[in-house]
Amino acid sequence: MALTRRQLLAGTASGLLGSALLGTAGCGRGAYLAPEDTISMWYWNRSISDTLLAKTPKDTGVKLAAQKIGGDFRAKLLTSLAGKAYVPDVTGLNEDIATYFPDEDQFFDLNELGAEEVKSQYLEWKWLRGQAPSGRFIGFPMDTGPTALYYREDLFEAAGLPTEPDEVAQRVATWDGFFELGTQLVEANPDVKLLPRGNDVFDRVVGQSGERYMDEQNRFIGDGEHLRRAWDLAIESNERKLTARIDANFSPEWNAAVSTGAVASLVGAVWVAQIMADGAKDTSGKWRLCRAPDGPGNWGGSFLGITKYCRDPEAAWEVVKYVQSPENQLVYGLNEYKLYPAAASALDDPRAQVEDPFFGGQVTNAVFAESAKEVKPVYLSPYDNVIGPCFTDQLTLTWSAGKDPDRAWQDALREVDRQLSHLGLI
């Protein structure tokens, strides 16, 4: 039974979720989203400029039917792939691109369409994240999420701390230095915390590392020193009372803390700036940016893929190549939507050097460009989204319920073991 387009876009309440369904719900080839001479595309809000998409047919000579998909984008894509009907020719793939690697045959290898010819124009670490362990390249780089330290200049000044970005960066060159600065901040004003959440320390340290939870053979390595260090730093940030112990990022509680000055800094990705500018307008001009403790990291970023159901992959590739060209990533990605480019040349382009009034006129791109260029390549496994919460859930219990940190660490490892056993990986 083929899905109707209405059923597909109405939602995924039917339970057709999860990569396990890919390739198993065989209904044969179903209907298409667009006529044979037109390339269909799915993207989510603010992932690609509508202005750019409107001019794409004229500039590429390819008819395009681009559709902005709301709600649970991933679930809808998986449903269409499982049903083998109404599958978009070109689709956005989010940071969790590795979860598609076990089903990489659902996508064209973009290298076979010519991607290798433009590889040198993009950040290598970002390019590698779109490449499955087999070597097939299924995700073309869209935006990235380089991280930096956001801090309140006025709160730092009131605590007798340095305020100029270069001086702050020197003080917080390491996580230890950052925590020492935070201790001075909290001692000067106990109502102000250094960070919203200790769990963020764990996530950001993991994001800075050249290793995560599994190696390229999908063997668990999360019990190694690199992850234990991230865990210990997160625990330390809480035990030193440097965090506001907020449950979730971008929650009403988080917005209130950022808006009222209850937290004086956070380590966040480039896209967090827009969230803060929208949610904490009254603090405009008070924030500054500098290099994050221990240096560069990445949080977020997305890709474009071409599904195997595309009848004209060469035309689809022309669309992908054009929409994500270095020039368009700069003009329509960064300058229109604040999507940070994956194209190396866009980082240093004079048009990217814009003074931002929310940050007191600072040219914030200078900070993010440095971070983006130095992110370490890392293997993202299809199972990171399963393993990561095993640790962060236990971390939460240490500060919310007073659980012993060592016991929580052991329980996290036991939960990882249980999850991987369930998946048949050990």
Side-chain angles (χ1 to χ4, degrees), residues 76-409:
K76 290 174 181 175
L77 177 60
L78 290 176
T79 301
S80 72
L81 289 169
K84 299 180 180 179
Y86 300 110
V87 183
D89 297 319
V90 178
T91 183
L93 301 170
N94 218 322
E95 184 187 23
D96 61 357
I97 186 171
T99 61
Y100 296 93
F101 289 167
D103 305 289
E104 61 179 88
D105 62 346
Q106 299 288 305
F107 300 89
F108 276 95
D109 180 351
L110 301 179
N111 281 332
E112 294 181 355
L113 299 173
E116 190 73 29
E117 297 174 8
V118 298
K119 177 180 179 180
S120 62
Q121 300 174 21
Y122 297 85
L123 296 167
E124 181 181 14
W125 64 266
K126 176 69 179 184
W127 189 275
L128 292 174
R129 292 189 181 198
Q131 181 175 295
S134 67
R136 296 181 77 251
F137 184 56
I138 67 169
F140 194 85
M142 293 175 68
D143 58 311
T144 66
T147 56
L149 177 68
Y150 293 71
Y151 68 93
R152 282 277 296 266
E153 181 190 48
D154 55 332
L155 298 179
F156 272 33
E157 183 176 20
L161 298 170
T163 58
E164 291 299 316
D166 288 344
E167 295 175 351
V168 176
Q170 286 184 356
R171 280 288 300 273
V172 304
T174 65
W175 285 99
D176 288 341
F178 183 46
F179 290 169
E180 287 300 320
L181 177 146
T183 298
Q184 184 177 337
L185 173 82
V186 174
E187 287 177 350
N189 189 346
D191 292 331
V192 177
K193 299 299 183 184
L194 180 67
L195 292 164
R197 311 169 69 237
N199 288 29
D200 288 347
V201 175
F202 177 82
D203 287 336
R204 298 293 81 75
V205 175
V206 172
Q208 292 174 324
S209 174
E211 296 178 298
R212 290 177 65 88
Y213 303 112
M214 305 192 90
D215 65 15
E216 294 193 13
Q217 286 71 49
N218 284 329
R219 294 174 300 203
F220 179 61
I221 58 172
D223 53 352
E225 181 58 32
H226 67 289
L227 212 66
R228 183 63 198 227
R229 176 173 177 267
W231 175 276
D232 288 342
L233 286 168
I235 295 292
E236 182 180 354
S237 69
N238 287 322
E239 290 182 340
R240 294 177 69 160
K241 303 185 186 307
L242 302 177
T243 65
R245 303 191 173 198
I246 293 171
D247 280 340
N249 281 321
F250 319 126
S251 62
E253 187 182 10
W254 185 93
N255 285 329
V258 171
S259 299
T260 62
V263 295
S265 67
L266 58 93
V267 180
V270 60
W271 45 267
V272 173
Q274 188 62 48
I275 294 174
M276 295 171 63
D278 291 339
K281 294 179 181 176
D282 290 344
T283 65
S284 180
K286 297 178 179 178
W287 291 91
R288 298 291 184 273
L289 279 166
C290 73
R291 187 179 174 88
D294 257 7
N298 185 76
W299 180 11
S302 50
F303 304 83
L304 278 181
I306 300 175
T307 71
K308 76 171 187 179
Y309 300 97
C310 179
R311 291 165 290 182
D312 190 348
E314 286 77 17
W317 166 242
E318 289 302 316
V319 170
V320 171
K321 185 171 62 173
Y322 170 78
V323 169
Q324 299 303 329
S325 71
E327 177 70 9
N328 285 333
Q329 284 196 355
L330 170 65
V331 175
Y332 295 99
L334 179 62
N335 286 353
E336 183 178 349
Y337 275 3
K338 297 188 183 304
L339 297 170
Y340 207 73
S345 62
L347 306 185
D348 295 324
D349 192 290
R351 290 171 290 174
Q353 317 309 316
V354 179
E355 295 181 353
D356 191 331
F358 189 78
F359 295 93
Q362 184 179 358
V363 180
T364 58
N365 179 63
V367 179
F368 288 120
E370 182 183 11
S371 180
K373 293 174 184 175
E374 297 178 6
V375 172
K376 296 176 182 176
V378 66
Y379 172 63
L380 305 179
S381 90
Y383 314 104
D384 285 5
N385 288 352
V386 174
I387 299 171
C390 298
F391 290 96
T392 52
D393 288 350
Q394 289 295 322
L395 263 179
T396 298
L397 291 175
T398 65
W399 58 262
S400 65
K403 188 170 184 176
D404 176 73
D406 289 332
R407 180 183 169 191
W409 170 260

